[in-house]
Amino acid sequence: MEWFWIILFLILGLGLVALEVVAIPGTTIVGVAGLLMVGYAIYETFADLGSFAGWCVVGSTLVVFAILLWIFMQSKTWKKASLQTQNTGKVNLIDTEKITVGATGKTISRLAPSGKASIEGQIVEVQSLNELIDEETDIEVIKIDGNKIFVKKLTK
């Protein structure tokens, strides 16, 4: 195999591996193909051009790969590809002094079987056990399990 083909396989292989790292998430056929191309070029160098040339290609390939990796880590590629927003959602933070079993409130949304309710001035996520409860219905807390509040329709 000539130097032209060896260098071409190395460049294409390193390009595919770089594409895998930067643009395509996970391990895909692109990265595997890149590694196979680099491996084939190194194998052919050892087989056709001898041990010295083979080790020179291995060394230069590792140096080029390390330089590419350093360039990718230093550039803003990762900032462009990564998620920059923060999740502002939260689970129920239950004030156990205000919301206790027996506390009453009113549904804000329909409970089918879960939804929002206002209990003792706090808006929280609640769940009914086995009934659908319409909005603006008076409810009573029957059970608190961790951060889940179970309610039932208040009978008048």
Side-chain angles (χ1 to χ4, degrees), residues 9-137:
F9 271 98
L10 288 173
I11 290 172
L12 289 175
L14 287 173
L16 289 175
V17 169
L19 182 66
E20 169 80 23
V21 169
V22 174
I24 303 171
T27 303
T28 64
I29 195 158
V30 175
V32 173
L35 288 175
L36 288 175
M37 289 178 85
V38 169
Y40 179 71
I42 291 171
Y43 169 77
E44 284 297 321
T45 304
F46 274 104
D48 292 347
L49 303 174
S51 180
F52 180 75
W55 285 114
C56 287
V57 169
V58 168
S60 61
T61 302
L62 291 175
V63 168
V64 169
F65 186 70
I67 290 170
L68 285 175
L69 189 62
W70 182 79
I71 289 171
F72 288 140
M73 293 299 179
Q74 295 299 317
S75 69
K76 295 181 182 177
T77 304
W78 299 116
K79 287 188 180 182
K80 291 177 186 174
S82 65
L83 182 64
Q84 298 295 318
T85 58
Q86 292 182 350
N87 185 357
T88 57
K90 59 183 178 179
V91 297
N92 271 346
L93 300 176
I94 301 170
D95 185 357
T96 54
E97 292 178 9
K98 288 185 178 180
I99 301 177
T100 58
V101 174
T104 59
K106 190 171 272 205
T107 58
I108 295 174
S109 66
R110 183 171 188 237
L111 305 186
S114 64
K116 294 213 182 267
S118 175
I119 301 173
E120 302 296 334
Q122 286 189 322
I123 297 175
V124 290
E125 185 80 21
V126 296
Q127 245 179 322
S128 66
L129 287 179
N130 45 349
E131 63 180 331
L132 302 177
I133 302 174
D134 288 326
E135 61 183 275
E136 298 297 320
T137 302

